[in-house]
Amino acid sequence: MKSFTYERARTAPDAAAAAARVNGARFIAGGTNLLDLMKLEIETPAHLIDVNHLALDKIEQTSDGSLRIGALVRNTDLAADPTVRRDYGVLTRALVAGASGQLRNMATTGGNLLQRTRCPYFYDTNQPCNKRVPGSGCSAIGGFSRQHAVVGVSGNCIATHPSDMAVAMRILDATVETIRPNGSTRKIPIAEFHRLPGDKPQLDTVLMPGELITAVTLPKPVGGTHLYRKVRDRASYAFALVSVAAIVQRDGSGRVAVGGVAHKPWRVEAAEAEMPRGAKAVTAKLMAGAHTTKENAYKLPLVERTLATVLAEAKGQT
């Protein structure tokens, strides 16, 4: 690990301003991903800004019926919150499916959204990787690609986004709130927050340098049956090969988002019109334009089968 300087921010504006003062600064809260990347020298921040003491750890209902989740709310607390469990059950289910109890106790809402890919070529600094070193090439393309993306890919990157929570946030139409170094704030729809790789796979999100996540807001509850199913190589502490988040209404309509298949949580709203017709019809539109390899082509039928299981489970609960 390379040496770095450290400071503890007192307010969110102070934290964002500090990030602008020092070239190569990074925010740190739980550190469950960043510290691993620093140890491997994949991330080499010159300066760490500790945001753990900011007042961003509350879950509050707003006057318009939405739910505002502070960026520092720990995953364990978010999953266990009574309002989240009652009204946004898909989020609780997704959170509990992720990582381990110890990691969920440390991981934060903001940090979870900012997780970097677990592509093994990204983690192997002896291998070319456009996400790690732009322009160096993508070892996964033409390499072993069983875990990699099948939709939204580019000729520069086929990595997947690892977060379970982000898939649930996508289906719930969350909004990410931020503050910039100049003190201005903005609200970013979750659909626009994560990027596809395109020709800049090193950029995971639309955040600007020094921009700090302060909260995530969920709109009014939509009701229905909330489900999250994760298919992985082992029963716990493993990232999704495919995951399906679904909210199903009594008439068979609803929403669906998929993890483990793209550089971002994958949702195609046009596909949701097919939900009363079943998993095959939904999957045809959801995964349209897929680009598979010999090793990851199994993900397409796996999405359909997982979605079929989720829809059958929802039907049994309504």
Side-chain angles (χ1 to χ4, degrees), residues 203-223:
L203 301 178
D204 295 328
T205 72
V206 298
L207 291 180
M208 299 176 180
E211 191 169 7
L212 173 68
I213 297 174
T214 55
V216 176
T217 300
L218 304 178
K220 293 179 182 179
V222 297

Side-chain angles (χ1 to χ4, degrees), residues 234-256:
R234 58 179 184 267
S236 66
Y237 196 44
F239 295 96
L241 298 172
V242 162
S243 64
V244 172
I247 300 175
V248 185
Q249 305 298 336
R250 287 184 176 274
D251 62 1
S253 64
R255 304 177 181 182
V256 61

Side-chain angles (χ1 to χ4, degrees), residues 252-267:
S253 64
R255 304 177 181 182
V256 61
V258 183
V261 299
H263 198 257
K264 61 188 291 185
W266 194 253
R267 182 181 176 194

Side-chain angles (χ1 to χ4, degrees), residues 30-232:
T32 57
N33 187 202
L34 178 59
L35 289 176
D36 285 342
L37 295 173
M38 290 174 64
K39 290 173 185 177
L40 294 170
E41 296 189 4
I42 294 169
E43 297 269 3
T44 55
H47 185 63
L48 289 183
I49 303 165
D50 187 341
V51 297
N52 279 296
H53 298 272
L54 307 184
L56 301 174
D57 59 351
K58 302 293 190 299
I59 302 173
E60 302 170 309
Q61 289 188 294
T62 67
S63 58
D64 65 358
S66 59
L67 190 71
R68 191 170 187 270
I69 303 161
L72 294 176
V73 173
R74 307 291 164 167
N75 285 180
T76 295
D77 296 330
L78 182 57
D81 182 80
T83 301
V84 174
R85 294 182 64 185
R86 183 187 69 236
D87 297 333
Y88 306 96
V90 66
L91 179 55
T92 288
R93 289 170 170 81
L95 285 163
V96 172
S100 65
Q102 293 93 330
L103 287 171
R104 292 194 296 270
N105 287 343
M106 290 297 297
T108 62
T109 300
N112 195 309
L113 290 174
L114 296 175
Q115 287 184 79
R116 305 215 68 189
T117 184
R118 266 41 177 214
C119 171
Y121 297 106
F122 174 71
Y123 272 79
D124 184 351
T125 55
N126 293 311
Q127 299 287 336
C129 173
N130 286 321
K131 287 186 74 63
R132 187 171 13 88
V133 183
S136 63
C138 176
S139 298
I141 297 176
F144 185 68
S145 53
R146 177 175 176 268
Q147 297 176 319
H148 289 78
V150 295
V151 285
V153 300
S154 76
N156 296 296
C157 182
I158 57 172
T160 58
H161 191 272
S163 172
D164 293 289
M165 186 197 79
V167 180
M169 292 290 193
R170 178 67 180 90
I171 203 175
L172 291 168
D173 290 326
T175 299
V176 181
E177 301 179 15
T178 70
I179 186 167
R180 303 179 194 180
N182 64 5
S184 65
T185 61
R186 66 168 171 159
K187 297 181 178 181
I188 309 167
I190 192 71
E192 302 171 10
F193 182 76
H194 293 103
R195 289 172 45 95
L196 292 177
D199 60 358
K200 294 182 179 179
Q202 71 274 19
L203 301 178
D204 295 328
T205 72
V206 298
L207 291 180
M208 299 176 180
E211 191 169 7
L212 173 68
I213 297 174
T214 55
V216 176
T217 300
L218 304 178
K220 293 179 182 179
V222 297
T225 300
H226 290 223
L227 295 167
Y228 187 81
R229 182 170 288 265
K230 180 177 180 179
V231 181
R232 45 190 162 176

